[in-house]
């Protein structure tokens, strides 16, 4: 098994890498700039050397249109060397038109001069030197040439103080870049560190975290706000899960306890005859309720997990609704009135799964029956219309106890049951949640409509067949 990889901090990781990248970039740029400066320095110095050669050539023409070496030539050369910052390695040679040496500084013999210049007398013989050549021009004739030779090393030479300044500038840029990156990385790392610390708290079960959401950067602000909201929703989810487990355990335990007590009473002979049969009937009813609750729980889990297949068939709405209501009425007690059907005269075709549509409508009708006001007769109405958006709407209305406005937004929450129904109705509170999920799976919706007076109205919306 490989040992766990050592992790580095965000600040160290990115600061070091940015520093290396910038340092390499600056060094490469500095190297290219340094070589460019050296080349420019050599070109500029060669131009200066050419100007000096031309000046010497102009001063070497006498009044009789012949070459005349001025006695002050050496002083002139030294002055120009100091003025133009030329090196001591410079060599000045003056020859006549036939190539005979007339003057040199430093002193050279004819043979030494020929060794320094090429055979054509137009450049240096050695590749380590460069020569600036200027003709000595008389009236209508070329009298000779002036050669000023300098080594390439001296032409490329950059003074030490300039090199030092260049290095200090490079170090300053590297340090400034590192400091900028460090400050930016630290600013970015702080909210990430806070979110990471908050995530550790959440993983430990502590959802009550508070993050400073005053960041000026929009993305960081959105990150902190989103994480804070996520922590709040996780806390609500954890609380809902605890309540849900307690509720589910209680609701499942109640029928089990009832069944166990009733069967035990019959077995022990506590009740006999007709009373025993009545106890068994009650036990069967409790078993049926238990079976429905387990089925609701399994259906809800399967749908939320996405493993329930939904069909999208083309269906004739009027016959389908009529058949659903007919089958539902057969399962109800005699005192439950048959729902009033308000159906359009024109055929209306919808798109959906007939089994799932039946599940939704049957669940809504059952809820309406269970919400009957004490001492009253339940009245149910099922209406089918085409709305303005080109969809089919199936409205299920009742005259029951209704739903209070303050809890109308929560009736579709999983495991939610209003206090009005908890004393008379036992269930897991998944019917409406499951029905809405089914409607949305068929590209429709299920909503609680605002209606005046007693009772409530649920609206199932489904797309029309194309």
């Amino acid at each position: 098994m490989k040992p766990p990889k050592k992790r580095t901090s965000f600040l160290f990781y990115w600061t070091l890498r940015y520093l290396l990248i910038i340092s390499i970039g600056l060094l490469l740029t500095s190297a290219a700039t340094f070589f460019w400066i050296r080349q420019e320095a050599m070109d500029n110095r060669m131009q200066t050397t050419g100007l000096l050669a031309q000046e010497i050539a102009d001063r070497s023409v006498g009044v009789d249109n012949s070459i005349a070496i001025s006695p002050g030539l050496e002083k002139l050369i030294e002055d120009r060397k100091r003025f133009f910052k030329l090196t001591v390695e410079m060599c000045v040679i003056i020859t006549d038109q036939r190539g005979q040496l007339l003057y040199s500084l430093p002193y050279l013999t004819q043979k030494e001069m020929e060794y320094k210049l090429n055979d054509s007398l137009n450049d240096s013989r050695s590749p380590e030197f460069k020569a600036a050549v200027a003709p000595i021009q008389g009236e209508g004739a070329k009298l000779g040439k002036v050669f000023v030779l300098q080594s390439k090393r001296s032409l490329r030479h950059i003074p030490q103080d300039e090199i030092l300044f260049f290095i200090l500038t490079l170090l300053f840029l590297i340090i400034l870049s590192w400091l900028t990156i460090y400050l930016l990385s630290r600013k970015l790392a702080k909210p990430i560190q806070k979110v990471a610390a908050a995530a550790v708290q959440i993983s430990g079960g502590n959802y009550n975290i508070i993050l400073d959401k005053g960041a000026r950067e929009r993305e960081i602000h959105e990150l902190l706000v989103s994480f804070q909201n996520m922590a709040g929703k996780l806390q609500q989810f954890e609380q809902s899960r605890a309540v849900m487990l307690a509720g589910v355990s209680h609701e499942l335990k109640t029928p089990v306890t009832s069944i166990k007590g009733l069967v035990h009473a019959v077995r022990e002979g506590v009740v006999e005859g007709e009373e025993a049969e009545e106890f068994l009937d009650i036990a069967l009813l409790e078993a049926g309720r238990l079976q429905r609750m387990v089925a609701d729980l399994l259906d809800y889990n399967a749908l939320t997990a996405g493993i329930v297949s939904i069909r999208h068939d083309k269906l004739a709405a009027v016959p389908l609704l009529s058949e659903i209501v007919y089958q539902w009425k057969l399962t109800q007690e005699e005192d439950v009135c048959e729902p009033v059907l308000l159906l359009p005269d024109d055929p209306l075709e919808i798109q959906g799964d007939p089994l799932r549509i039946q599940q939704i409508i049957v669940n809504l009708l059952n809820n309406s029956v269970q919400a009957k006001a004490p001492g009253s007769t339940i009245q149910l109405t099922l209406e089918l219309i085409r709305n303005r958006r080109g969809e089919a709407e199936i409205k299920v209305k009742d005259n029951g106890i209704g739903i209070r406005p303050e809890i109308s937004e929560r009736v579709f929450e999983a495991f939610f049951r209003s206090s009005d129904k908890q004393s008379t109705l036992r269930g897991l509170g998944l019917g409406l949640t499951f029905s809405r999920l089914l409607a949305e799976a068929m590209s429709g919706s299920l909503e609680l409509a605002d209606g005046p007076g007693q009772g409530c109205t649920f609206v199932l919306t489904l797309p029309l067949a194309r």
Side-chain angles (χ1 to χ4, degrees):
M1 183 177 179
K2 293 184 178 180
K5 188 177 180 181
K6 187 178 180 181
R7 304 293 179 182
T8 58
S9 67
F10 176 89
L11 183 62
F12 177 80
Y13 183 88
W14 288 112
T15 301
L16 178 62
R17 276 153 181 75
Y18 282 151
L19 178 61
L20 290 175
I21 293 172
I22 288 179
S23 298
I24 292 173
L26 287 175
L27 287 174
L28 292 176
T29 303
S30 301
T33 304
F34 183 77
F35 285 112
W36 177 79
I37 290 174
R38 289 183 63 187
Q39 187 63 39
E40 285 294 310
M42 185 176 70
D43 294 341
N44 291 335
R45 284 171 179 161
M46 280 304 301
Q47 290 181 3
T48 303
T49 303
L51 293 176
L52 176 60
Q54 188 61 51
E55 183 181 7
I56 295 174
D58 293 340
R59 290 175 176 269
S60 298
V61 179
V63 294
D64 57 350
N65 198 28
S66 62
I67 298 177
I69 306 301
S70 171
L73 182 58
E74 183 174 350
K75 183 176 181 303
L76 172 69
I77 293 173
E78 294 298 328
D79 290 342
R80 295 296 183 265
K81 286 171 64 176
R82 286 192 299 270
F83 181 78
F84 293 115
K85 296 182 180 180
L86 301 175
T87 65
V88 295
E89 297 180 8
M90 186 177 66
C91 177
V92 178
I93 298 173
I94 301 177
T95 64
D96 59 14
Q97 185 64 18
R98 294 174 300 174
Q100 295 298 314
L101 177 63
L102 301 178
Y103 175 85
S104 65
L105 182 69
Y107 176 76
L108 298 173
T109 63
Q110 180 70 26
K111 187 175 182 179
E112 291 174 336
M113 180 207 71
E114 292 175 355
Y115 178 78
K116 282 184 174 293
L117 300 178
N118 59 13
D119 295 339
S120 301
L121 296 180
N122 58 9
D123 202 350
S124 171
R125 187 181 296 275
S126 173
E128 298 299 323
F129 285 81
K130 290 184 71 67
V133 183
I136 302 175
Q137 193 72 33
E139 292 182 1
K142 184 182 294 185
L143 304 178
K145 292 182 181 179
V146 176
F147 302 88
V148 180
L149 281 73
Q150 287 200 94
S151 68
K152 292 181 179 180
R153 181 178 61 85
S154 63
L155 290 172
R156 296 193 186 101
H157 174 72
I158 298 177
Q160 294 294 329
D161 55 346
E162 294 184 10
I163 295 177
L164 180 61
F165 175 78
F166 190 81
I167 293 174
L168 292 176
T169 302
L170 178 62
L171 291 176
F172 173 76
L173 290 175
I174 292 176
I175 293 173
L176 180 63
S177 301
W178 173 82
L179 182 61
T180 303
I181 293 168
Y182 174 79
L183 294 176
L184 290 175
S185 299
R186 189 175 69 172
K187 185 173 180 62
L188 289 174
K190 280 185 177 181
I192 296 177
Q193 291 170 350
K194 292 178 181 178
V195 171
V200 172
Q201 295 182 34
I202 292 176
S203 64
N206 180 18
Y207 300 98
N208 189 20
I209 61 172
I210 299 176
L211 296 175
D212 182 14
K213 302 184 286 293
R216 294 183 179 179
E217 296 84 355
R218 182 185 60 191
E219 292 80 3
I220 295 178
H221 173 74
E222 291 176 353
L223 170 65
L224 296 174
V225 170
S226 299
F227 195 88
Q228 181 83 60
N229 294 338
M230 182 193 70
K233 290 182 179 180
L234 285 175
Q235 186 175 21
Q236 293 177 1
F237 176 78
E238 184 66 21
Q239 293 172 351
S240 300
R241 186 182 68 86
V243 173
M244 179 267 292
L245 288 176
V248 170
S249 300
H250 173 73
E251 294 298 333
L252 294 178
K253 181 180 178 182
T254 300
V256 171
T257 304
S258 299
I259 295 170
K260 182 178 179 181
L262 292 167
V263 174
H264 184 75
V266 174
R267 179 183 179 186
E268 296 296 327
V270 177
V271 293
E272 296 178 352
E274 293 183 0
E275 191 175 6
E277 292 181 1
E278 184 180 354
F279 270 44
L280 290 176
D281 290 338
I282 296 174
L284 287 174
L285 290 175
E286 291 295 324
R289 292 193 182 110
L290 179 61
Q291 183 180 16
R292 285 194 297 273
M293 285 190 287
V294 173
D296 286 346
L297 187 60
L298 292 176
D299 288 341
Y300 173 75
N301 289 334
L303 187 57
T304 53
I307 59 177
V308 175
S309 61
I310 301 294
R311 296 165 56 183
H312 297 274
D313 298 338
K314 185 177 181 181
L315 307 170
V318 173
L320 175 63
L321 295 180
S322 300
E323 182 64 23
I324 291 173
V325 171
Y326 173 75
Q327 293 182 13
W328 175 80
K329 183 61 178 68
L330 294 178
T331 63
Q332 302 302 309
E333 301 293 338
E334 293 181 359
D335 59 342
V336 176
C337 298
E338 184 174 350
V340 177
L341 286 175
L342 302 177
L343 304 175
D345 296 331
D346 298 332
L348 194 63
E349 293 185 333
I350 59 176
Q351 183 173 305
D353 190 325
L355 177 61
R356 304 306 178 184
I357 295 174
Q358 182 177 7
Q359 283 182 276
I360 297 172
I361 294 177
V362 167
N363 180 60
L364 295 176
L365 293 174
N366 288 337
N367 284 351
S368 296
V369 172
Q370 292 163 353
K372 181 182 67 170
S376 64
T377 302
I378 188 68
Q379 295 179 1
L380 299 172
T381 302
L382 193 146
E383 181 183 6
L384 173 64
I385 64 171
R386 183 200 299 262
N387 63 20
R388 296 180 179 179
R389 298 189 301 272
E391 299 169 322
E393 285 188 358
I394 304 171
K395 298 181 180 181
V396 179
K397 306 177 185 179
D398 63 56
N399 63 337
I401 59 176
I403 298 174
R404 301 195 311 273
E406 58 268 22
I407 65 171
S408 61
E409 295 295 329
R410 301 190 60 194
V411 294
F412 292 102
E413 293 181 9
F415 306 102
F416 173 76
R417 294 185 306 137
S418 68
S419 58
D420 297 337
K421 298 170 67 176
Q422 283 178 351
S423 60
T424 60
L425 177 62
R426 284 185 290 179
L428 298 180
L430 289 174
L432 289 176
T433 307
F434 182 62
S435 297
R436 171 174 274 188
L437 291 175
L438 286 177
E440 292 175 350
M442 293 184 290
S443 303
S445 64
L446 179 62
E447 303 292 340
L448 174 62
D450 297 329
Q454 195 176 16
C456 61
T457 302
F458 285 92
V459 181
L460 171 62
T461 303
L462 294 172
L464 294 177
R466 298 179 179 177

